[in-house]
Amino acid sequence: CTLSVSALASDSARANLIRICGRPAMSTNETPAWFREALADVPVTHAMEYECGRVSYLRWGDRFDKGNKRALVLVHGTFAHAHWWDFIAPMFADEFVVIAIDLPGCGNSDHAAKYTEPWFANCIMAVLEDAGLRWSLDSKRPKPYLVGHSFGARVCMWAGSSHPDELGGVIALDAVVTIGKSLGRGPPISTQVRHTKTAAELVNRFRLRPPQRCDNAFLVRHIAEHGVRHVSGKGWTYKFDRRWLEKTPSIDRSRLIENCRARLAWIYGKRSSFYSHPEVAKHINSELARHHGTTARSLPDAAHHLFLDSPLETVEEIRQVLLEWDDSPSTVNSLSKL
């Protein structure tokens, strides 16, 4: 179900979207019409060479493109992959050329010896270059937008710090940030690579991280099915690099919002475990107001994986941000640093 950006500008339009597409099934493996229609828009798979080797990405929206469509880049979180966006990307494909990246160490991209968030940010810009979508002064396309979830949101903010003049804006989805000097990490994950005889064993074993309930079982199954691969002579295993966390050094992210010089919007899940303490949202809103002249948006029925919990509502919130940005200057609102 692909609608124009302006189609979600009102509450009545949102209700109409749900009426047309159907609400996601709750606690069932049944798939609603909107999901089936989104998957019918099959992306084109591309690959490029980066410092780690092969980097894979998916592309939608080339239909009716005359070389002037804006790019919308979708960046997944830790241990995830580009197919997390399969049911989100098509809803923007009429207005944008949509790119979903397999970050190095995830999905169908090669693993690296070491990972850092600034390095991933440079990878995003390299993908835009490879796709012919990177902005330049003589480009016919407007500056691209970046949308990142969790770890991917931080990567996008790093891109907004290092390449602000090349971006139209960054949308952070349930980003995990540092308050003060506290650098917490999630629960440990085994670095041992295990193999099973069938893909189904891994798919059924798949759990979201951080742990949370998700009523849309069909969405969780979809991303699980795309997260496994077969290794000749060994069996099936998950695609992500199990040593990802030990290869990614902890860094101080306490000034990440301040240092993001691109336009920044923030959407989080009210039930997210990362926002369970009221001081977190308070801190983020304070930083957003101080450095970007805005505040965060929230989805009341969503946890950390907000576009699995509330996919249509997440699409609506992203569209609302893009509508506001289309009506405002593309340059960052330069507020004085206090």
Side-chain angles (χ1 to χ4, degrees):
C1 180
T2 306
L3 303 179
S4 65
V5 170
S6 60
L8 289 177
S10 67
D11 291 339
S12 61
R14 174 183 174 277
N16 196 43
L17 171 66
I18 294 175
R19 178 183 61 78
I20 295 170
C21 298
R23 276 198 177 276
M26 304 301 286
S27 301
T28 177
N29 286 325
E30 295 178 4
T31 58
W34 71 263
F35 175 73
R36 297 192 301 272
E37 291 173 14
L39 294 194
D41 189 350
V42 180
V44 178
T45 301
H46 295 263
M48 56 164 275
E49 289 298 314
Y50 189 53
E51 297 168 13
C52 65
R54 181 180 187 269
V55 169
S56 177
Y57 62 93
L58 307 176
R59 180 169 179 153
W60 294 261
D62 283 315
R63 188 174 51 215
F64 309 125
D65 179 30
K66 297 180 180 180
N68 58 356
K69 270 188 175 183
R70 190 192 297 267
L72 181 69
V73 182
L74 308 175
V75 185
H76 63 74
T78 306
F79 304 139
H81 50 77
H83 287 285
W84 278 58
W85 303 102
D86 281 352
F87 45 91
I88 300 294
M91 296 193 185
F92 295 94
D94 276 358
E95 304 85 21
F96 302 93
V97 176
V98 186
I99 300 290
I101 302 173
D102 277 328
L103 290 176
C106 295
N108 295 322
S109 293
D110 288 342
H111 298 183
K114 183 180 179 180
Y115 307 106
T116 67
E117 292 170 22
W119 182 76
F120 281 124
N122 289 334
C123 180
I124 292 175
M125 304 310 294
V127 167
L128 281 168
E129 182 78 32
D130 184 77
L133 299 170
R134 189 164 182 170
W135 183 85
S136 63
L137 288 173
D138 58 353
S139 174
K140 295 180 181 179
R141 299 182 188 274
K143 296 179 181 181
Y145 295 139
L146 306 184
V147 179
H149 173 238
S150 190
F151 177 87
R154 295 204 304 264
V155 170
C156 291
M157 283 188 277
W158 277 106
S161 174
S162 56
H163 302 277
D165 295 336
E166 296 185 50
L167 301 176
V170 171
I171 301 178
L173 303 181
D174 216 84
V176 185
V177 297
T178 301
I179 297 180
K181 295 295 182 181
S182 174
L183 295 175
R185 303 200 94 173
I189 184 170
S190 172
T191 59
Q192 181 180 353
V193 179
R194 300 182 178 89
H195 297 85
T196 60
K197 291 183 179 180
T198 66
E201 293 177 68
L202 289 178
V203 171
N204 292 333
R205 189 186 300 170
F206 176 80
R207 298 293 184 272
L208 295 173
R209 176 188 170 94
Q212 67 161 79
R213 172 185 171 179
C214 180
D215 289 328
N216 297 323
F218 64 98
L219 296 181
V220 177
R221 185 168 188 85
H222 175 81
I223 61 175
E225 289 173 343
H226 283 278
V228 300
R229 62 186 175 92
H230 186 264
V231 180
S232 180
K234 294 184 178 180
W236 290 87
T237 189
Y238 292 117
K239 291 179 178 179
F240 65 83
D241 186 350
R242 283 191 166 271
R243 296 179 58 206
W244 169 297
L245 292 181
E246 70 178 53
K247 291 180 180 179
T248 307
S250 293
I251 56 178
D252 187 351
R253 307 183 187 97
S254 60
R255 301 180 67 181
L256 194 55
I257 295 175
E258 175 185 352
N259 291 338
C260 179
R261 293 180 293 148
R263 190 163 40 184
L264 180 62
W266 201 284
I267 306 170
Y268 70 96
K270 274 281 193 178
R271 297 193 293 107
S272 173
S273 58
F274 293 115
Y275 292 79
S276 58
H277 197 289
E279 286 300 314
V280 176
K282 181 179 178 181
H283 167 78
I284 289 171
N285 277 320
S286 174
E287 289 293 292
L288 288 172
R290 180 180 178 184
H291 302 293
H292 294 272
T294 187
T295 56
R297 302 162 181 259
S298 64
L299 294 175
D301 298 321
H304 177 61
H305 303 285
L306 65 176
F307 57 96
L308 299 182
D309 296 314
S310 303
L312 300 182
E313 290 80 359
T314 301
V315 168
E316 178 193 359
E317 289 296 332
I318 293 173
R319 286 187 182 278
Q320 290 290 350
V321 171
L322 300 183
L323 279 168
E324 292 173 9
W325 284 355
D326 280 346
D327 292 337
S328 62
S330 59
T331 55
V332 180
N333 181 14
S334 58
L335 300 174
S336 59
K337 307 290 184 182
L338 301 179

